[in-house]
Amino acid sequence: MFRIPPYHYLHVLDQTTNVTRLETGPQTFVKKDNEMVLSNTEKMVVVPPRHFCVISNPAMTDENKQVLLDNLGQVRLHHAEDEVRLQQVPFPLYPGEEIKVKITLLTVVPALSALRLKVTRDFTDEDNQQRRAGDEMLFEGPCTYIPRKEIEVIGQHKAIIIKPNTAVKLRATRETTDKNGVNRVAGEEWMVKKNGSYLPGVYEEVVVTCTAYFLTDKTAVHVAATQTFTDEKGRQRKSGEEYLITVDDMEAFIPGVYENVIETKGITTLTNRQYCIIVNPVGANGKPQLGAKKLVKGEKSFFLQPGELLENGVQDIFILGENEGIVLKALEAHKDTFANPPVDRKPGDNWMLTGPLEYIPPVEVIVLSTRKAFPLHQNEGIYVRNTNTGKVGAVVGKTYMLQEDEELWEKQLPLIVKTLLSSESHTAADKHYAKEWKNPNKENVQDDTVGDTWDGTKVVTFQVPHNAAVQLYDYKSKMSRVVFGPDLVMLGPDEQFTQLSLSAGNPKKPNMWKAIALWLSPIFTSDVITVETSDHARLQLDLQYNRHFEIEDLTNQVEASKLFCVGDFVGDLCKAMASRIRGAVSSITFDDFHKNSAKIIEVAVFGMNPETRKVRERIKFPANNFVVTSVDIKSVEPVDQRTRDSLLKSVTLAIEITTQSQEAAARREAERHEQESQGKLERQRIEDEATSEKARKKLLALQAESAAIESTGQAKAEAFSRAEAARIEAEAAVQEAKLKAQAHKIETEAELKRMNAAREADIKFALEQNNLEVEKAEKMAKIETDKFNKMVTVLGTKTIQAMASGPQDHQVKMLQSLGLSSTLITDGRTPINLLNTAGGLLGNLNLPQ
């Protein structure tokens, strides 16, 4: 029994007819034996206002909304169908009905928005308009959307707000009619520029939102047409055409559907001192004249049309002063009206204009370079090269401007020469303040500062110091000249300085100094040499030579050129002098040299005059007029330690004699101070002994205590060590026993394996031997059997029978001849069973009747 309250229901299955029916309340339902309640009591579906639900497999109803039953009383259903139910009285779910969409609030579409709907099956709407499956539509607000089973919601659209100076580009996704009633085909694009809200249609999609370009008198927009169309001004634009939109056309430009903005261009402004050349100018037909050029002079402002370019940008006109010029070149034939009278120019002609003047080159002419006169002092100059002939010359001491066929020529000099010329120090040889030079072959040295500041187009000048000389060599004429100072040297285009590579240092090392000027006045050259006396004493001599160059006629170039004949005259001088001094010192003893070193070295250097038997005052080298006037010994130092010790002894001997007397007086004073000191020392010693005894007492006590501690610790250490030794020995014995047991086990296992292997080998051998013997016996038996069969076959059965019964027949016959019926022959040792013997012997004799 089931009590069904009001607005409740349950489903009952009649198991006899297999029909399910609906029972609604209020009632008390008594279930029969053949009935079954399929579910508990459920509440009816209540759809509140502004809500809906979707029922799947709804029951069929007639015109009066009564449920239809079939012949068996089962409720008829619309299978695979849906039904949208809005607000109504509570209703039950008939057997087979299901809630597909629970009770849901109806969708309210606000203003400026819409729902995008899609038709899932064909139907005819309330306006008697046929809808096809796949169609899409918009449900615009403000309104409440009531769903249908033939329509599904696929999205929501919001209106676009089109602000001033903005526009929206739309594209049709299929054939449709826009809001203005214009038919659109699929893929077509159009612009909506009307301010306000715009809700795109169901087959319209927003491509982009465009913002207007604001045009002024100084800005313009370069636009290209993507296909042929007619613009807002009614002008037809061809596909690919490029044009310019300026403020004269409109103040704000929004590109159309078929317009593409390439760039925003600024205005080009020329002053009255400027000009420009436009390449590919736009002609009267509005088309670019490709390859043409146009000259525009200021004052003027204009926009460059599409396709036009500025050659070298905006340029200033050429304003030439009195000492300035400009070199021009004709690119094509034309009449030069700037000249007076006019001149016909041919392509490739070069000419120059000099100031003062103002000049704007026409399009047929290019400016190669500008020239400015060089104001040159009488000691300044520049190198000039003629581009037609290649001839190089030097212009010195006047204001000069290069002609159109001339250019500056840069003279090439070695890096060391540039360094010496750029150095602020003196460049004459042998001066201690000359700039040190580093060999570029040994060290990678690069003077970048010299290369940055050096100007090779200026005439190279060098101030030759007083008492100095410089040699110049002309590679073109193969001639050289020597200039003596003080003077100013100016190099010609083909001249180079003669470099001097001199030895330097103590002792001298070659190629240490580089110079371009040769010092002539007296100067000292120092050197350090090592000599050896006849008693093998090695000495190091520090010498200085006073030398100079001697030349009588400075105007004689032959004599002057001898100064530079010897490249390293310093090194040659030091080598020659060192050789002479070594030879002279090697023939005398150390004592003689120590006493007469100055005389010996002067004789070795200058030699003796054979006439006067005196030392010469100087020595001259005629190859380069090099003269040495004196030699100075700065120091003599022994190289060997023994020689240095002997020299010290001789020096200190005199010092010892002088100091002996002072030592005696000092000794007496020292003895007196010593006695006083001894008395004080003795007293201090006694006091120290008393203090030491006290300290010794404490020391003995501490020693006794430490001895006791030491003995105790030693005993403990010995006991511990003995116990540790015993433990180690025991562990060693245990380890030894384990190892022996393991060794014995290994030996036993090895012996067992060996014995097993031997037994297995013996057994295998015996088995194989037995098999061989059995095989042999079988084969022998087979042979004997075959032999016997063959013998029997050969002899025959009758022969064998006769041979077998022959002796017995003979014996029978012999006994019959003796009258014996039977006989028994025995050896007397074999027992004979005589039971029934008589019967056997006598047999069953049948006596004749």
Side-chain angles (χ1 to χ4, degrees):
M1 185 174 61
F2 295 89
R3 289 183 174 86
I4 305 174
Y7 300 107
H8 287 71
Y9 68 96
L10 56 77
H11 294 163
V12 179
L13 174 63
D14 189 343
Q15 297 181 356
T16 303
T17 61
N18 203 22
V19 174
T20 303
R21 71 178 186 274
L22 177 70
E23 296 291 340
T24 61
Q27 68 168 324
T28 299
F29 173 71
V30 178
K31 182 175 73 67
K32 299 178 181 179
D33 293 339
N34 62 337
E35 293 178 342
M36 182 177 65
V37 177
L38 298 179
S39 62
N40 296 327
T41 302
E42 295 184 7
K43 189 176 181 180
M44 292 185 181
V45 180
V46 178
V47 181
R50 303 188 63 78
H51 287 72
F52 75 99
C53 66
V54 179
I55 304 300
S56 180
N57 304 323
M60 294 183 183
T61 59
D62 55 10
E63 297 177 354
N64 299 323
K65 302 296 182 180
Q66 297 298 320
V67 177
L68 300 180
L69 301 177
D70 58 8
N71 297 330
L72 299 177
Q74 181 75 36
V75 177
R76 297 174 62 185
L77 302 177
H78 289 285
H79 292 284
E81 286 287 348
D82 294 333
E83 181 181 350
V84 179
R85 297 182 183 180
L86 301 176
Q87 178 187 2
Q88 56 183 290
V89 297
F91 61 90
L93 292 179
Y94 287 92
E97 289 183 340
E98 297 178 357
I99 296 180
K100 184 176 182 180
V101 178
K102 295 181 178 180
I103 299 173
T104 307
L105 183 66
L106 292 174
T107 303
V108 178
V109 182
L112 303 180
S113 62
L115 293 179
R116 187 182 183 93
L117 307 178
K118 183 177 181 180
V119 179
T120 59
R121 64 177 70 177
D122 297 346
F123 75 100
T124 303
D125 59 8
E126 294 81 357
D127 299 333
N128 201 21
Q129 184 177 357
Q130 184 69 27
R131 300 290 185 179
R132 299 293 182 182
D135 288 347
E136 294 182 4
M137 65 189 77
L138 289 181
F139 183 80
E140 300 182 7
C143 190
T144 301
Y145 171 70
I146 298 176
R148 295 179 60 101
K149 63 180 181 180
E150 300 90 353
I151 299 175
E152 65 175 350
V153 179
I154 61 175
Q156 185 174 3
H157 288 186
K158 290 186 178 181
I160 300 173
I161 306 302
I162 302 176
K163 300 179 182 179
N165 297 320
T166 59
V168 176
K169 181 186 288 188
L170 302 177
R171 180 188 298 124
T173 58
R174 56 177 286 184
E175 295 183 359
T176 184
T177 302
D178 62 8
K179 296 296 183 63
N180 298 325
V182 180
N183 295 327
R184 304 292 183 180
V185 297
E188 182 180 355
E189 296 181 354
W190 68 96
M191 300 291 293
V192 177
K193 301 180 181 179
K194 183 179 180 181
N195 296 338
S197 62
Y198 181 81
L199 185 63
V202 64
Y203 300 120
E204 298 175 2
E205 63 177 357
V206 178
V207 179
V208 68
T209 300
C210 301
T211 303
Y213 292 86
F214 296 98
L215 306 177
T216 64
D217 54 352
K218 295 183 179 180
T219 58
V221 179
H222 182 187
V223 183
T226 57
Q227 73 179 49
T228 303
F229 73 101
T230 302
D231 61 10
E232 297 179 355
K233 300 295 183 178
R235 287 174 292 187
Q236 186 178 14
R237 303 293 186 181
K238 298 294 185 180
S239 177
E241 179 183 355
E242 296 183 5
Y243 49 93
L244 206 64
I245 304 297
T246 63
V247 70
D248 297 335
D249 299 323
M250 59 187 69
E251 294 182 356
F253 171 69
I254 299 177
V257 178
Y258 307 115
E259 292 178 324
N260 182 25
V261 176
I262 298 177
E263 62 177 343
T264 301
K265 286 190 174 183
I267 194 170
T268 302
T269 303
L270 304 177
T271 65
N272 58 355
R273 316 306 293 169
Q274 292 177 332
Y275 74 98
C276 67
I277 296 177
I278 300 176
V279 182
N280 304 328
V282 175
N285 57 355
K287 305 294 183 181
Q289 308 298 315
L290 300 179
K293 293 182 180 181
K294 178 182 178 182
L295 177 63
V296 179
K297 302 178 182 179
E299 300 175 355
K300 190 173 184 180
S301 296
F302 61 94
F303 289 102
L304 286 177
Q305 296 297 322
E308 293 181 342
L309 298 174
L310 286 183
E311 186 178 53
N312 300 325
V314 178
Q315 306 178 55
D316 296 332
I317 65 175
F318 292 91
I319 302 175
L320 305 179
E322 184 177 358
N323 293 325
E324 294 178 339
I326 183 172
V327 179
L328 307 175
K329 181 178 181 181
L331 297 178
E332 55 185 86
H334 69 286
K335 180 179 286 293
D336 186 2
T337 58
F338 191 81
N340 190 14
V343 180
D344 292 332
R345 304 291 185 183
K346 296 181 180 179
D349 286 351
N350 292 347
W351 71 97
M352 187 173 72
L353 300 177
T354 57
L357 55 85
E358 294 181 0
Y359 182 73
I360 298 177
V363 295
E364 299 86 3
V365 176
I366 62 171
V367 178
L368 296 180
S369 63
T370 57
R371 300 288 171 84
K372 190 173 183 180
F374 295 92
L376 303 175
H377 188 260
Q378 61 180 358
N379 294 331
E380 295 178 338
I382 56 174
Y383 297 109
V384 179
R385 178 177 176 270
N386 191 299
T387 57
N388 294 329
T389 63
K391 183 179 179 181
V392 180
V395 179
V396 180
K398 63 178 181 179
T399 301
Y400 185 77
M401 181 185 297
L402 296 177
Q403 300 300 315
E404 63 271 12
D405 56 351
E406 292 179 342
E407 64 180 1
L408 290 176
W409 180 76
E410 185 175 357
K411 184 175 180 59
Q412 300 297 327
L413 291 177
L415 180 59
I416 181 59
V417 176
K418 293 181 181 179
T419 304
L420 293 174
L421 293 176
S422 302
S423 175
E424 297 180 357
S425 61
H426 208 289
T427 54
D430 291 342
K431 299 298 288 183
H432 65 279
Y433 50 83
K435 186 172 183 179
E436 183 178 355
W437 178 80
K438 297 181 180 180
N439 191 348
N441 296 326
K442 297 181 179 179
E443 301 182 19
N444 187 13
V445 178
Q446 294 182 355
D447 195 350
D448 296 334
T449 58
V450 175
D452 295 340
T453 59
W454 181 262
D455 187 3
T457 60
K458 295 182 179 180
V459 172
V460 179
T461 60
F462 176 66
Q463 296 179 0
V464 183
H466 181 66
N467 284 332
V470 174
Q471 186 182 38
L472 308 175
Y473 184 77
D474 192 335
Y475 286 90
K476 184 176 182 181
S477 62
K478 308 297 182 183
M479 298 292 291
S480 63
R481 61 188 176 99
V482 179
V483 179
F484 295 93
D487 198 355
L488 180 68
V489 175
M490 303 185 72
L491 284 184
D494 302 314
E495 288 183 333
Q496 291 287 349
F497 287 104
T498 299
Q499 301 179 34
L500 298 175
S501 181
L502 305 178
S503 299
N506 288 323
K508 288 292 184 286
K509 296 180 182 179
N511 299 325
M512 290 298 293
W513 276 358
K514 290 287 186 177
I516 58 176
L518 181 63
W519 196 259
L520 302 177
S521 61
I523 193 171
F524 285 96
T525 298
S526 61
D527 192 17
V528 176
I529 63 174
T530 301
V531 297
E532 185 175 358
T533 60
S534 61
D535 52 357
H536 304 290
R538 294 174 58 83
L539 303 175
Q540 182 173 328
L541 307 181
D542 189 357
L543 306 176
Q544 275 192 346
Y545 308 104
N546 191 0
R547 49 84 176 176
H548 66 275
F549 288 92
E550 188 177 78
I551 183 170
E552 297 178 357
D553 188 5
L554 299 179
T555 60
N556 190 348
Q557 289 293 325
V558 177
E559 290 295 325
S561 62
K562 290 182 179 181
L563 299 175
F564 296 89
C565 291
V566 180
D568 187 6
F569 62 88
V570 175
D572 294 345
L573 167 66
C574 294
K575 291 177 183 177
M577 297 297 103
S579 177
R580 293 186 180 188
I581 293 172
R582 290 191 189 98
V585 175
S586 63
S587 61
I588 58 177
T589 61
F590 172 72
D591 293 335
D592 294 340
F593 178 76
H594 184 64
K595 296 176 182 179
N596 304 307
S597 59
K599 184 69 174 178
I600 293 171
I601 292 176
E602 286 183 357
V603 173
V605 172
F606 299 109
M608 299 293 293
N609 191 341
E611 297 179 357
T612 59
R613 306 299 296 174
K614 295 182 180 180
V615 180
R616 293 190 178 96
E617 295 181 354
R618 68 176 190 169
I619 182 174
K620 183 177 180 181
F621 297 90
N624 59 344
N625 294 329
F626 189 61
V627 178
V628 179
T629 57
S630 65
V631 59
D632 180 25
I633 304 174
K634 296 177 66 176
S635 65
V636 177
E637 294 182 1
V639 177
D640 298 334
Q641 185 63 33
R642 291 180 301 172
T643 307
R644 185 180 292 108
D645 294 341
S646 62
L647 182 61
L648 288 175
K649 288 180 180 179
S650 63
V651 172
T652 57
L653 183 59
I655 300 174
E656 291 178 358
I657 296 173
T658 306
T659 57
Q660 282 179 358
S661 60
Q662 298 177 357
E663 288 180 357
R667 191 182 302 110
R668 293 189 186 92
E669 185 67 20
E671 289 175 355
R672 185 177 65 81
H673 287 292
E674 184 179 0
Q675 291 296 328
E676 293 177 356
S677 300
Q678 285 181 355
K680 295 179 180 179
L681 181 62
E682 184 66 21
R683 186 176 63 182
Q684 184 67 32
R685 185 180 61 79
I686 294 171
E687 293 176 355
D688 293 339
E689 286 179 355
T691 306
S692 65
E693 286 297 327
K694 294 179 181 179
R696 186 170 177 274
K697 181 180 178 181
K698 294 180 180 180
L699 177 62
L700 290 175
L702 293 174
Q703 286 179 350
E705 185 178 356
S706 64
I709 296 172
E710 182 180 359
S711 62
T712 303
Q714 184 175 3
K716 290 182 179 180
E718 289 178 354
F720 180 78
S721 63
R722 286 195 296 272
E724 188 69 15
R727 184 182 65 78
I728 295 172
E729 290 177 355
E731 291 178 353
V734 172
Q735 187 68 20
E736 182 180 5
K738 290 181 179 180
L739 295 176
K740 287 182 178 180
Q742 292 179 358
H744 184 266
K745 180 180 180 182
I746 294 171
E747 291 177 355
T748 304
E749 290 176 354
E751 182 65 20
L752 180 60
K753 290 181 180 179
R754 186 188 65 78
M755 293 177 65
N756 291 335
R759 289 190 179 92
E760 289 176 359
D762 294 338
I763 293 170
K764 185 177 181 181
F765 175 77
L767 290 175
E768 291 179 355
Q769 188 175 11
N770 293 335
N771 293 333
L772 291 174
E773 290 178 357
V774 170
E775 185 179 0
K776 179 180 178 182
E778 290 176 354
K779 290 182 179 181
M780 292 299 296
K782 185 177 181 181
I783 292 171
E784 292 294 331
T785 303
D786 295 338
K787 178 180 176 183
F788 180 79
N789 291 331
K790 291 180 181 180
M791 290 175 61
V792 170
T793 303
V794 172
L795 293 177
T797 57
K798 294 181 177 182
T799 304
I800 295 173
Q801 185 177 4
M803 290 175 62
S805 60
Q808 287 80 5
D809 293 340
H810 179 70
Q811 292 178 1
V812 170
K813 290 179 179 181
M814 184 178 68
L815 291 175
Q816 289 177 356
S817 63
L818 293 177
L820 298 175
S821 302
S822 63
T823 183
L824 175 64
I825 301 173
T826 180
D827 55 358
R829 293 177 296 180
T830 303
I832 301 173
N833 186 6
L834 298 179
L835 185 64
N836 298 324
T837 305
L841 294 175
L842 296 179
N844 295 322
L845 298 177
N846 296 319
L847 295 178
Q849 297 294 330

